[in-house]
Amino acid sequence: MASCSAPPSLMLVHPQDLSRSQRTTFSLYPLLFKPSKCLHIEPKSRTCHALVAALAAEVQVPLTVHDTEEDDGSDGSTATSAATTTTTTTTTTKPKKGKAALPLKRDRTRSKRFLEIQQLRERKKEYDLKTAISLVKETAKTKFVETVEAHFRLNIDPKYNDQQLRATVNLPKGTGKPVKVAVLTQGEKFDEAKNAGADLVGGEDLIEQIKAGFMEFDKLIASPDMMPKVASLGKILGPRGLMPNPKAGTVTPNIPQAIAEFKQGKVEYRADKTGIVHLPFGKADFPEEDLLVNLLAAVKSVEANKPSGAKGVYWKSAHICSAMGPSIRLNIREMLDYRPPSE
């Protein structure tokens, strides 16, 4: 006798394939259905096998089919001549999402433009400052004016307080980018900030606008008497790097001077958690002499603000590049000892 634990709606076996003399048992596990009438299926017929396979593929569960051939003896006893068991398991893979779906770094391909400009420099060669700046201008071949950046890897661990680096540098030739400055102050300094060229000036009203999502400014300068009120903006301004800080020169009683410095090209920088400083120092359309002057100012500032806890070799590596171009490695010794011809 064959036992089938499936609802009558799934019984699609033709009546001609049913017999009481010879029996086959098949089951759908782990699905449990209500018991129904049992079917007697001939083992020689393949219709039942196709039915079971179709049902298992539809519900995506393991499929087990038992084929048993039985012969009736003369004394009414039965003997099993063969038994066969076949198991087929169907598994579904969950699609990857987010960063896991991105191709690995070794499988990514560069653009044709990048591969062409990459041939202009040797990958592991260390260049002097003048040659490196010339190569940066050659590799800046996009349709927009690219920013020129410096990346300094330092021998510091910012998780320790005495090895953190955060400071500002005045670029003599500017950044090439207009800076929109907002000022938080009150009283007499309100008019001073407006006369100094601030784009936005406000007090508690500007604080409420920032809490509502207003972020149309590049630098936020605050007077010391406004800091207790500005503290409530920490969660909003902190992740964006706009929170006023005395080390960055954005908390000062001399507001007109701070506005003039940021308008002329004052740049704030800090070491990230891996000890690398990322610092823009101009545009690709700057003359080579202007880029060289700005780069030297940035190097001197990083060297002058060396953390007290930094030990051993301070400079590990230094690279410059355009925003969309390959990096160019600098000779650190030549970079630190370089003196402009005018000096």
Side-chain angles (χ1 to χ4, degrees):
M1 181 179 66
S3 61
C4 172
S5 56
S9 60
L10 298 178
M11 302 304 174
L12 304 178
V13 182
H14 196 277
Q16 295 180 356
D17 294 332
L18 304 179
S19 173
R20 295 189 178 182
S21 59
Q22 296 176 334
R23 298 166 291 183
T24 295
T25 302
F26 68 95
S27 62
L28 289 176
Y29 180 80
L31 294 180
L32 299 178
F33 299 97
K34 294 182 180 180
S36 60
K37 295 181 179 181
C38 296
L39 302 179
H40 303 280
I41 306 175
E42 289 183 1
K44 295 182 181 180
S45 174
R46 302 187 180 277
T47 307
C48 61
H49 298 173
L51 173 63
V52 174
L55 292 176
E58 182 69 20
V59 298
Q60 296 183 356
V61 297
L63 166 67
T64 303
V65 180
H66 301 280
D67 290 340
T68 306
E69 296 182 1
E70 300 177 353
D71 296 333
D72 294 337
S74 57
D75 56 351
S77 61
T78 60
T80 303
S81 60
T84 323
T85 302
T86 306
T87 303
T88 305
T89 304
T90 305
T91 58
T92 57
T93 58
K94 190 175 180 180
K96 297 180 179 180
K97 297 180 180 180
K99 292 184 179 180
L102 297 176
L104 299 176
K105 186 175 181 180
R106 63 174 181 269
D107 298 330
R108 299 174 190 170
T109 57
R110 293 286 191 177
S111 65
K112 183 178 179 181
R113 178 198 65 85
F114 189 89
L115 293 176
E116 290 178 355
I117 63 177
Q118 197 175 23
Q119 305 300 324
L120 299 176
R121 60 99 167 103
E122 297 180 22
R123 187 170 185 179
K124 296 184 179 181
K125 182 179 178 180
E126 295 183 348
Y127 292 88
D128 60 272
L129 293 183
K130 288 187 176 181
T131 306
I133 291 176
S134 299
L135 288 174
V136 167
K137 291 180 68 66
E138 290 182 21
T139 56
K141 294 185 177 181
T142 55
K143 296 180 180 179
F144 60 93
V145 180
E146 300 181 38
T147 300
V148 183
E149 307 168 353
H151 305 275
F152 305 132
R153 188 179 189 88
L154 308 176
N155 188 22
I156 58 176
D157 190 352
K159 71 179 181 180
Y160 300 105
N161 293 332
D162 60 348
Q163 296 189 38
Q164 294 179 357
L165 175 61
R166 182 174 184 177
T168 58
V169 55
N170 292 317
L171 300 178
K173 303 300 181 180
T175 60
K177 177 182 177 182
V179 180
K180 194 171 184 178
V181 179
V183 178
L184 285 171
T185 187
Q186 59 186 357
E188 299 177 355
K189 295 181 181 179
F190 197 92
D191 294 332
E192 291 182 3
K194 282 188 174 181
N195 297 331
D199 299 283
L200 294 170
V201 182
E204 294 183 2
D205 57 339
L206 183 55
I207 293 177
E208 294 300 326
Q209 292 181 19
I210 294 174
K211 288 182 178 179
F214 180 78
M215 288 290 169
E216 297 182 6
F217 52 86
D218 301 313
K219 289 294 178 181
L220 180 62
I221 301 174
S223 56
D225 57 344
M226 290 293 294
M227 286 309 295
K229 299 178 181 179
V230 178
S232 60
L233 301 176
K235 292 183 179 179
I236 302 175
L237 300 177
R240 295 174 172 84
L242 296 174
M243 187 67 181
N245 190 295
K247 292 183 178 179
T250 49
V251 178
T252 174
N254 193 349
I255 292 180
Q257 181 182 353
I259 294 174
E261 290 177 348
F262 283 107
K263 289 283 188 179
Q264 292 173 3
K266 188 175 184 178
V267 177
E268 179 188 358
Y269 63 87
R270 64 188 304 175
D272 62 14
K273 62 181 180 180
T274 59
I276 301 177
V277 174
H278 311 277
L279 196 155
F281 64 96
K283 293 286 186 177
D285 59 351
F286 278 23
E288 294 184 10
E289 294 77 11
D290 292 352
L291 289 174
L292 180 59
V293 171
N294 283 350
L295 179 58
L296 290 176
V299 171
K300 290 180 180 179
S301 177
V302 174
E303 180 70 19
N305 291 282
K306 179 179 178 180
S308 59
K311 299 180 181 178
V313 178
Y314 182 48
W315 295 83
K316 282 189 172 181
S317 65
H319 296 77
I320 61 173
C321 65
S322 59
M324 303 293 289
S327 61
I328 299 172
R329 191 181 184 96
L330 302 178
N331 187 314
I332 295 178
R333 180 53 53 193
E334 192 271 344
M335 178 185 71
L336 296 177
D337 297 340
Y338 184 85
R339 296 292 180 272
S342 60
E343 293 185 358

